[in-house]
Amino acid sequence: MKFLPLLWSGLFRKKTRTLLTLLSVVAAFILFGLLQAVRVAFDAGADAADAKRLLTTARYSIIDPLPLAHLGKIERVPGVVAVAYANWFGAKYQDQSNAFPVFAVDPARYLDMYPEFRIDPAQRAAFEGTRTGAVAGVRLVRRFGWKLGQKLPIRSEIHAQRNGGLDWEFELTGVLDAEDPAQQGNTDVVLINNAYFDEARRTGKGSTGWYIVRIADSGRAREVGAAIDRLFANSPDETKTQPEKEFALGFAKQIGDIGALVTRILAAVFFTLLLLTGNAMAQSVRERIPEFAILKTLGFSDGKVAGLVLSEALLLLLLGGGLGMLLATLMLRPLNAATGGKFPPLFVSPATWGLAAAILLSLALAIGLPPAWRVRRLRIVDALRGG
């Protein structure tokens, strides 16, 4: 710490150049924080996946229904400890822009399958006991200002009632939440009671969209999945069973490989930053060669002078990177509010902060080591005579 004033005066010897360099670092890390938040949001489904959960869908297309009669057969497969199911409802609320996922489920089976979802026990009991009941994610509830006990008029894009109408009405009996902010986006859903839905719909009775299977040993996921698929091989309703994470990654890649896109953008940004800051740092050190010679004359060792240059690079990156990450964190709050819950929650995770610290350190070494090596080998006589 005793060298901090010396570092500070050296860093801001050319204030305009240092401020512009600092701004480029701040901008790069703002972009890093925001893009990493988007990547975390898109990966949340896969990251939240349970290694002991499998997804069983129709073999050739996930939109093809499966018979509910598969349920008992899957439950009897060795290694299976629980089975739930869900059916895509495809809904809009009030107008075309208010679309969100609605799943028809067996309430007890589904909520037992996802213990990471939090729901008040009384609300869960009400959902299980109300045929027209529904539970909704907390962000949806806030977005639309829903209240418990309220009737939810929802229009399905797919399923008509027996009278041919696509308009349904459910009673909100509970609110879903998740403790982990990365999983809150997974609660942006409305669950309805499949018993009522299956009885009231016009077509497709006795079928569901997919099964969620909990197994006892995650190491046997492939084996159990293959056993399930063999049950229905060569039948009109063949299945495809895969680990939940694999399913989530495959589903996300239908939108695009967001992770690869973010990585390429950030690689270009940090490479440019490396060139800019590296050039600024090298120029700054070149201009101060006589000053480093004087420091050596005063008794500073070669290592200590080189350490000062490295520390100066680290201080520059810490100031710019820390400020950039802080601004990115602050910018995400109004951004989340502005989306009105239409997008998964964006946040800067602890892992992102850790990655930012690693990048800062790597950049500081890459920028600071060449000039530090130069001043370490500097001979006082050569420096003072302008060599």
Side-chain angles (χ1 to χ4, degrees):
M1 291 297 291
K2 67 179 180 180
F3 294 117
L4 187 58
L6 186 59
L7 289 174
W8 193 267
S9 62
L11 188 61
F12 286 93
R13 186 169 179 269
K14 298 281 187 180
K15 291 184 176 62
T16 303
R17 181 175 61 201
T18 301
L19 285 174
L20 290 175
T21 307
L22 198 60
L23 282 175
S24 67
V25 178
V26 170
F29 277 87
I30 288 177
L31 190 62
F32 171 77
L34 296 178
L35 288 178
Q36 279 295 114
V38 173
R39 174 153 68 181
V40 168
F42 271 89
D43 290 346
D47 292 340
D50 189 329
K52 291 185 176 180
R53 280 198 299 251
L54 310 180
L55 267 292
T56 298
T57 61
R59 180 178 177 182
Y60 297 108
S61 173
I62 61 172
I63 65 173
D64 289 341
L66 290 171
L68 270 172
H70 280 9
L71 178 65
K73 296 175 182 175
I74 296 174
E75 283 180 320
R76 290 192 289 275
V77 172
V80 172
V81 295
V83 184
Y85 55 86
N87 203 349
W88 178 261
F89 185 80
K92 288 185 170 55
Y93 175 69
Q94 292 181 331
D95 61 55
Q96 296 294 315
S97 63
N98 294 329
F100 44 79
V102 176
F103 300 152
V105 303
D106 178 301
R109 286 178 181 272
Y110 194 86
L111 293 175
D112 285 344
M113 185 62 68
Y114 292 95
E116 61 268 35
F117 293 169
R118 293 186 309 177
I119 182 171
D120 182 90
Q123 295 177 12
R124 171 177 170 147
F127 181 38
E128 293 176 9
T130 307
R131 287 174 62 79
T132 58
V135 295
V138 64
R139 295 195 333 135
L140 284 177
V141 171
R142 290 173 185 159
R143 175 180 163 191
F144 296 116
W146 291 340
K147 305 292 182 188
L148 286 178
Q150 175 182 338
K151 301 294 184 185
L152 302 181
I154 294 175
R155 184 176 180 82
S156 174
E157 294 178 317
I158 307 170
H159 301 287
Q161 297 198 60
R162 280 177 294 188
N163 62 9
L166 292 170
D167 295 318
W168 296 69
E169 187 174 85
F170 303 96
E171 179 184 345
L172 184 64
T173 58
V175 179
L176 283 178
D177 200 358
E179 188 172 347
D180 185 346
Q183 294 193 8
Q184 276 199 342
N186 296 332
T187 67
D188 290 344
V189 63
V190 172
L191 304 178
I192 59 175
N193 196 323
N194 188 71
Y196 167 70
F197 163 72
D198 198 51
E199 179 183 299
R201 63 176 165 167
R202 190 173 191 176
T203 59
K205 292 179 186 293
S207 64
T208 190
W210 63 93
Y211 289 96
I212 309 108
V213 181
R214 179 170 292 283
I215 58 176
D217 181 2
S218 59
R220 296 182 57 207
R222 299 285 178 194
E223 177 190 341
V224 175
I228 292 171
D229 293 340
R230 277 197 301 274
L231 281 177
F232 310 108
N234 301 317
S235 76
D237 300 297
E238 291 188 289
T239 60
K240 178 182 178 182
T241 304
Q242 55 191 326
E244 187 179 55
K245 183 166 188 173
E246 190 175 307
F247 176 86
L249 287 173
F251 193 79
K253 283 184 178 177
Q254 291 182 12
I255 302 172
D257 195 342
I258 300 299
L261 182 63
V262 168
T263 300
R264 287 169 189 154
I265 293 173
L266 291 177
V269 168
F270 284 125
F271 180 70
T272 306
L273 181 67
L274 179 67
L275 295 181
L276 286 174
T277 52
N279 181 58
M281 192 73 197
Q283 187 176 350
S284 172
V285 170
R286 273 199 305 274
E287 292 169 355
R288 288 181 289 150
I289 288 295
E291 296 175 18
F292 290 118
I294 292 172
L295 287 177
K296 287 191 175 186
T297 305
L298 292 174
F300 280 68
S301 66
D302 291 343
K304 191 172 284 185
V305 174
L308 283 174
V309 174
L310 264 179
S311 301
E312 198 174 301
L314 184 61
L315 180 61
L316 175 69
L317 268 297
L318 278 177
L319 283 173
L323 184 58
M325 291 297 293
L326 183 62
L327 288 174
T329 304
L330 295 175
M331 288 166 69
L332 287 174
R333 294 180 184 175
L335 191 60
N336 281 324
T339 61
K342 295 179 181 177
F343 197 80
L346 299 173
F347 62 95
V348 178
S349 67
T352 299
W353 277 98
L355 184 58
I359 292 172
L360 279 172
L361 186 59
S362 302
L363 284 174
L365 288 174
I367 292 165
L369 272 177
W373 180 251
R374 180 180 179 184
V375 298
R376 188 182 189 282
R377 300 182 60 191
L378 185 69
R379 294 177 58 193
I380 298 174
V381 174
D382 294 339
L384 291 179
R385 72 180 179 201

